[in-house]
Amino acid sequence: MASKILVPESGKPITLKNGQLEIPDYPIIPFIEGDGIGPDIWRASKYVFDAAVEKAYGGKRKIAWMEIFAGDKAKGIYDEYLPEETVETIRNYYIAIKGPLTTPIGGGFRSLNVTLRQVLNLYACVRPVKYYRGVPSPVKQPTKMNVVVFRENTEDVYAGIEWVMGSDEAKRVINFLNSEFNTKISLDSGIGIKPISETATKNLVRKAAEFVIENDRTSLTIVHKGNIMKYTEGAFKDWGYELVQQEFGDRFITEAELWSKYDGKLPEGKKIIKDRIADSMFQQILTRTDEYDVIATPNLNGDYLSDACAAQVGGLGMAPGANIGDIHALFEATHGTAPKYTGMDKVNPSSLILSGVLMFQYLKWAEVGQIIEEALEKTILKKQVTYDLARQLEGDIKPLKTSEFAKAIVDNF
Ligand code: NAP
């Protein structure tokens, strides 16, 4: 099939040299607009990105955007939701950004997002959650929230290994387990498998530990449910400690050592490694918020926990995300397609805009990210906000449309 992708003539691809990305001044970056609210928030985000790059570099640098397709738009063009050409293009261009995608309804479809993360081995889902001044919050001290969640992105119950109740496969698995391992699984059960490997765990924890060191953060917390799921979540915790001990032993001390050897005072240059059981972590992050910094956790815990953290500081409309592998990175808003708002130019584009900030940091164009973050905060402080924040703020605030909010950010550069 002929290519459906128009490669921009003005740009150059990002290349890989000696294991490092080389970013040209006019890098080609593929983007997926997304379904539902995707086109609205993408249009607004691109407007902000281009203006911020122009402000930072006065034309010396510029992104050459290249549209690639997934979801409903791809179905119309290729007659499939996730064309191979899309996956290959991200593979070849290393860095991409996307809006949300609908999970097609019907037998046999897996989430496009999950599939993209798995086939590109983007094993770390990185979700920074912090407070921007002016954002309404349901808690008393939202400034205490400043965590970066590293969620394992390829395994756990998200691996997609599951069989519907009554299917031949489910019955065979149940019969096998009941007869070979003397389990007592009822025949009217659906079955899901939860694989957690040493390799994927260590890859994730390595990224999180590197992040702590490179960004001069204080602690790394492993969040798990190992008291119940010993050989998956419990092993995740053990492998996490092992990796930190093996590869960063000179930089980290355990929480127990902090008290037994150092009387609770962190020695200069050292970081803390600790762990929490997932259920207790949900109350800790509410009640002792500032004791948590960087978090490493399996897929499902990370999904829940990052949304719960985001709820304290403005909700899903404000929550950015990145899916990162050894080299490749796919940046995306944390929320879904919010289908009821499709085409209404209504929702908050901040999640995708802040995902772009992460992308600019990854490109080492940090100035651009800084311009955007400062202007976003200024805009919200002036109560120039979309409906989701307007309804939480005191007073009679007229919400801005998605496009008006983007324009307000640029006007506040
Ligand atoms: P959702 O799209 O995240 O929307 C749930 C609610 O969150 C919305 O109704 C809205 O709340 C709020 N919200 C989401 N995005 C917002 C924004 N930008 N600004 C302001 N508020 C926002 O969740 P869903 O309705 O459960 O999922 C819809 C589809 O998205 C599903 O097909 C799902 O599979 C998919 N999905 C995709 C991704 C992804 O692409 N990474 C992630 C999650 C879900 P109010 O109603 O209170 O205004």
Side-chain angles (χ1 to χ4, degrees), residues 78-114:
Y78 295 80
D79 198 25
E80 54 183 320
Y81 287 103
L82 186 57
E84 188 52 31
E85 183 171 37
T86 298
V87 177
E88 274 313 297
T89 304
I90 301 176
R91 219 190 289 281
N92 294 336
Y93 286 80
Y94 300 106
I95 290 176
I97 185 164
K98 66 177 275 290
L101 294 169
T102 314
T103 301
I105 297 172
F109 283 117
R110 289 178 48 205
S111 157
L112 303 179
N113 305 298
V114 174

Side-chain angles (χ1 to χ4, degrees), residues 213-230:
I213 292 168
E214 282 165 16
N215 293 278
D216 202 17
R217 307 287 290 228
T218 309
S219 69
L220 173 60
T221 306
I222 299 174
V223 177
H224 60 93
K225 189 68 185 161
N227 54 331
I228 304 297
M229 293 172 271
K230 294 186 173 51

